Amino acid sequence: MSHFLPIFLDTFLDTLAIFPLLLLVYILLEVLEHRWDLSQNAHLLTGPVGPLLGAIAGCVPQCGFSAAAATLFNYKRISGGALVAVFLATSDEALPILLAHPEHFTTVLQLLLCKIGIALFWGYCLWFVTWLRYRRYPVLQPVLLTEECHHEKTEHFSFFHVLQHTAYITIYLFVTMLIINSITAWLGAERIGALLLSHSIWQPVLAAIVGLIPGCGTSILLVSLFLQGSLSFGSVTAGLCSSAGFSYLILLQKRNSRTLLAIICTFFAAAVSGLLLELIL
């Protein structure tokens, strides 16, 4: 029980920190449903500027923007290219940890430039492929928040409705993350790190797999292994590119082909980019 309490508190605080941003996103979605003609203007949020904005937003050292992007993607407000760009650029807690070591300042700059370049390249690749596939259907049909909750579309903005939906998502995230964090703590960082100690060419792929583990602790684990010398630069870049905090859990609420494709594309882009960096460096 004494070992479980810190895990419970860490998970609770991490989930509590994401609640305000989720609430803000759902307020935005509710306002858009009542104030904006989504059927006529949805393309403005899914156009060619999306991956660029996604790469910029992902550079902010916290997982809030990736969670917001995942939520907007579920409701078809942003393109898959923009979502993948946000995920690939997200560094979560990695940058503050690296900046705490002044001798790694150059590494921070290199990591940021690499992640921005990776996010822009793969984000626009996916956006272009999607555009080619659906260019005959330029306007998305957004999913309405009221439709998902099985409520009739209300005439006026309902803060209670938004708060209720946000609380449901937050509880879902908390329970799921508590299970994942408990399993991770039981395995131990050393045991997880042991899987990545091999200095083979395939280390970036293994790091990208670890990066898929939901939670803010994944990026901390990856950057700690990098500082210890257990991970190469290419491997830590791959792991941090596929690491997106709570976002995968938010995506998995929909459980459709778009969700699976977004996760696969993020992993593929992270692993291939890490392998290329490994070969170059």
Side-chain angles (χ1 to χ4, degrees):
M1 184 66 182
S2 59
H3 296 290
F4 178 75
L5 184 58
I7 299 173
F8 181 89
L9 290 176
D10 288 342
T11 306
F12 176 78
L13 292 175
D14 287 342
T15 309
L16 189 64
I18 208 72
F19 178 84
L21 186 59
L22 285 177
L23 180 62
L24 182 62
V25 171
Y26 283 121
I27 288 175
L28 173 63
L29 290 172
E30 182 82 0
V31 170
L32 288 178
E33 288 183 19
H34 295 88
R35 301 291 180 86
W36 209 34
D37 188 351
L38 295 172
S39 63
Q40 297 298 321
N41 298 292
H43 65 283
L44 296 176
L45 298 176
T46 59
V49 75
L52 174 62
L53 296 177
I56 294 174
C59 290
V60 179
Q62 50 101 2
C63 59
F65 283 104
S66 61
T71 303
L72 294 173
F73 180 77
N74 279 347
Y75 291 90
K76 299 182 181 180
R77 300 304 203 280
I78 65 171
S79 65
L83 176 76
V84 170
V86 172
F87 282 7
L88 293 174
T90 297
S91 299
D92 200 6
E93 303 294 334
L95 293 184
I97 294 175
L98 287 173
L99 288 174
H101 298 77
E103 67 275 13
H104 291 288
F105 181 74
T106 303
T107 302
V108 172
L109 294 179
Q110 293 173 343
L111 182 64
L112 274 176
L113 290 176
C114 285
K115 285 174 67 65
I116 292 174
I118 291 170
L120 288 173
F121 176 78
W122 291 106
Y124 275 107
C125 281
L126 182 58
W127 180 86
F128 184 67
V129 170
T130 305
W131 178 80
L132 288 176
R133 174 67 177 84
Y134 296 105
R135 64 186 183 278
R136 295 182 182 179
Y137 311 100
V139 178
L140 288 173
Q141 295 299 323
V143 178
L144 299 181
L145 187 62
T146 48
E147 289 177 353
E148 184 188 79
C149 296
H150 307 291
H151 293 302
E152 293 185 2
K153 186 177 174 70
T154 56
E155 185 177 350
H156 302 289
F157 174 85
S158 173
F159 181 75
F160 175 76
H161 171 225
V162 173
L163 187 62
Q164 182 182 31
H165 192 78
T166 307
Y168 167 76
I169 300 299
T170 304
I171 293 172
Y172 161 77
L173 291 176
F174 171 74
V175 173
T176 308
M177 282 308 306
L178 184 61
I179 295 173
I180 294 175
N181 288 342
S182 298
I183 294 174
T184 303
W186 175 69
L187 290 175
E190 293 183 1
R191 189 176 300 178
I192 296 175
L195 299 174
L196 305 172
L197 290 179
S198 174
H199 296 283
S200 70
I201 189 63
W202 300 110
Q203 192 184 57
V205 178
L206 296 175
I209 293 174
V210 173
L212 292 176
I213 300 174
C216 299
T218 304
S219 60
I220 297 176
L221 172 64
L222 289 168
V223 77
S224 298
L225 292 173
F226 171 71
L227 292 175
Q228 295 171 8
S230 300
L231 287 181
S232 63
F233 181 80
S235 298
V236 74
T237 302
L240 292 177
C241 280
S242 63
S243 177
F246 292 94
S247 306
Y248 294 125
L249 296 179
I250 295 176
L251 284 181
L252 288 172
Q253 283 190 303
K254 291 295 183 180
R255 297 184 181 90
N256 53 32
S257 58
R258 294 176 74 245
T259 295
L260 183 61
L261 183 61
I263 296 175
I264 291 175
C265 287
T266 302
F267 169 74
F268 178 81
V272 170
S273 299
L275 285 172
L276 290 176
L277 284 174
E278 196 78 5
L279 291 173
I280 294 173
L281 298 178

